[in-house]
Amino acid sequence: MAIINLVGADLEEIEDAVEELNEPRYRARQIYSGIYKRLFTSWDQFTELGKQLCEKLRDRYSINHLAAQHVFVSNDGTRRYLFEVSPKQRIESVFIPEERRDTFCISTQVGCAVACLFCVTGRLPMLRNLMPGEIVGQILAMQADRGTSSKRLNIVIMGMGEPLNNYANVMQAIRLMTDEKGMSISPRRVTLSTSGIVPGIQRLAEEPVAPNLAISLNATTDHVRDLLMPINKKWNIATLLEACRKFPLAQRRRITFEYVLIENMNDSPEDARRLAGLLQGLRKKVNLIPLNMDPWIPLKASGMERVLAFQEILVGRHITVNIRRPRGGDVSAACGMLAGRERPRGDIALPPPKPLRLARGVKGQRSKGV
Ligand code: SAH
Ligand code: SF4
């Protein structure tokens, strides 16, 4: 009989697993807490269960974290974890240490079908959705490696993949992360970023436990957004912002709008003014992200002067704006650079990137890399 990994199972599923072994259901609570709170990875660590039960459990179930194949450490302390989730299928997660908290950026899919022009993950073929255990497994593995307490943790679902295209598994993972009996990460410290899957946003709005919402907007006209993010042809800017306006926000919560700044594409003062207009009336903050360049991306980052000018226009309209400082760029860990690569910016062991299709009339600028 195949051994089943219990990482990713919720309490009820563990109760069923225990019952199958003809053991009382209450045992499941101890197992649940061992997996998600105490970060146990071996049945030997469950001394309170007794030797006999541990033997029975071992025969049927495992509690394996994802095993990191490589950990790349940046000069700024950021760590990029490479996990092989199936033979030749790799995902990445990033640990970003900060003074008062640690941020874990996690993946939800192997590849991404949304295929945004500026994103390295989007250049990969979409291979599969991650299972709930593979999603929380990234956090458990990084937590075990770094010894980070859940109180210091910030989770950003901004790694490889489009989380709302893997809705059920991502939601099960979020419920596990935020369960007080287990990982106990406050939902206020979990942020899900989406490229704008409108039915997913509407579904999320109905969830009893919902993460913070971040929207990758990245353009102020449908023409440019169609080009940068093909998903815009399905749900355009107006439809997306309409769904955002309807999204229920708890007190003092805001939607984050992410805006990757790309030279001569979406970074003009006019864009900044248009952005302020589009977001009028929304409870929001804006994160400006200077494009992280990569040889796989045919675009160039806006210069700092343009970024600051863009910011100033938004600030002048009383919008909270942060400029996201690139972290871990030297180990290809920054936003949009995740591709399951074995070496920073190396592309071995991966299929060749999809060919680029640029709309006529728009020049793709080939970056020289960094
Ligand atoms: N699929 C989701 C979450 C993963 S992408 C989404 O698109 O929101 C996470 C963030 O990285 C998005 O805001 C995206 O706009 C940004 N991003 C992608 N490629 C980037 C790049 N090359 N430079 C900077 N940010 C990038
Ligand atoms: Fe997918 Fe997000 Fe990258 Fe777009 S930006 S390709 S949605 S991971």
Side-chain angles (χ1 to χ4, degrees):
M1 206 179 291
I3 304 276
I4 298 168
N5 192 357
L6 288 183
V7 176
D10 61 20
L11 185 59
E12 211 173 309
E13 287 164 333
I14 298 178
E15 281 172 347
D16 292 344
V18 168
E19 207 166 53
E20 270 196 38
L21 300 179
N22 297 320
E23 293 287 336
R25 283 175 85 83
Y26 77 84
R27 287 294 197 192
R29 279 186 186 276
Q30 291 165 303
I31 298 174
Y32 186 87
S33 146
I35 297 176
Y36 296 113
K37 221 181 186 77
R38 302 160 83 189
L39 309 178
F40 289 171
T41 52
S42 150
W43 292 116
D44 298 334
Q45 293 169 283
F46 287 88
T47 43
E48 70 275 26
L49 294 181
K51 255 200 167 135
Q52 242 181 347
L53 176 55
C54 284
E55 282 307 317
K56 271 164 94 175
L57 285 162
R58 197 191 324 271
D59 286 347
R60 289 287 295 282
Y61 304 109
S62 63
I63 42 172
N64 293 329
H65 287 178
L66 289 181
Q69 219 178 25
H70 287 292
V71 183
F72 303 90
V73 185
S74 158
N75 293 330
D76 67 17
T78 301
R79 299 162 85 89
R80 173 166 73 95
Y81 291 77
L82 185 70
F83 299 105
E84 191 167 66
V85 286
S86 306
K88 299 223 170 94
Q89 294 189 351
R90 300 200 180 91
I91 57 150
E92 299 190 320
S93 324
V94 182
F95 165 82
I96 308 150
E98 280 158 302
E99 218 169 273
R100 289 169 47 198
R101 60 183 187 194
D102 292 331
T103 297
F104 285 178
C105 174
I106 58 170
S107 294
T108 53
Q109 297 182 310
V110 188
C112 182
V114 180
C116 301
L117 190 60
F118 49 83
C119 171
V120 172
T121 308
R123 313 277 295 130
L124 300 171
M126 161 62 192
L127 295 179
R128 71 172 173 91
N129 284 331
L130 293 182
M131 300 301 288
E134 293 169 324
I135 300 171
V136 292
Q138 297 166 60
I139 304 174
L140 297 173
M142 287 194 283
Q143 234 184 319
D145 183 41
R146 302 313 298 152
T148 303
S149 113
S150 61
K151 298 262 170 307
R152 268 182 71 86
L153 265 183
N154 240 5
I155 304 297
V156 294
I157 307 178
M158 293 187 186
M160 295 167 72
E162 168 47 57
L164 297 183
N165 278 346
N166 182 14
Y167 193 91
N169 292 345
V170 168
M171 277 318 297
Q172 161 113 337
I174 290 174
R175 284 190 292 274
L176 288 171
M177 284 170 215
T178 53
D179 184 1
E180 282 172 12
K181 294 188 289 297
M183 294 172 78
S184 59
I185 300 166
S186 160
R188 288 174 167 258
R189 288 180 167 260
V190 179
T191 301
L192 179 151
S193 173
T194 177
S195 57
I197 311 291
V198 167
I201 296 171
Q202 291 163 339
R203 235 175 124 184
L204 197 62
E206 308 284 319
E207 294 287 347
V209 179
N212 296 311
L213 183 63
I215 304 282
S216 301
L217 192 58
N218 299 333
T220 60
T221 64
D222 282 322
H223 174 68
V224 174
R225 197 163 191 269
D226 280 353
L227 192 79
L228 292 176
M229 306 181 74
I231 196 79
N232 196 64
K233 293 180 192 146
K234 208 158 179 186
W235 296 289
N236 64 16
I237 295 179
T239 314
L240 173 58
L241 293 180
E242 180 61 22
C244 292
R245 282 178 207 285
K246 291 194 177 134
F247 193 80
L249 288 172
Q251 257 193 342
R252 292 192 300 172
R253 295 281 96 183
R254 293 185 276 184
I255 298 181
T256 304
F257 288 90
E258 295 157 283
Y259 196 97
V260 177
L261 283 161
I262 305 170
E263 189 181 80
N264 294 332
M265 187 68 97
N266 62 2
D267 65 343
S268 68
E270 211 186 329
D271 276 305
R273 286 190 284 270
R274 226 175 358 240
L275 180 61
L278 285 172
L279 301 185
Q280 223 168 22
L282 277 154
R283 264 156 65 194
K284 75 237 165 218
K285 55 185 170 191
V286 172
N287 269 356
L288 297 177
I289 318 172
L291 177 82
N292 292 310
M293 289 194 286
D294 186 283
W296 283 20
I297 302 172
L299 301 163
K300 214 173 151 209
S302 307
M304 209 18 98
E305 230 171 80
R306 292 275 275 195
V307 175
L308 292 174
F310 200 99
Q311 181 191 36
E312 210 175 291
I313 293 171
L314 296 178
V315 171
R317 281 159 174 75
H318 310 289
I319 297 176
T320 311
V321 195
N322 299 308
I323 298 177
R324 199 183 289 165
R325 187 158 66 96
R327 298 286 304 262
D330 55 337
V331 292
S332 296
C335 284
M337 296 176 102
L338 303 183
R341 292 180 283 206
E342 279 188 355
R343 288 190 305 232
R345 301 218 174 88
D347 57 2
I348 48 162
L350 274 176
K354 291 176 209 159
L356 272 178
R357 267 182 284 132
L358 289 178
R360 229 183 307 152
V362 176
K363 277 183 238 137
Q365 285 148 317
R366 195 148 279 287
S367 83
K368 294 191 187 79
V370 190

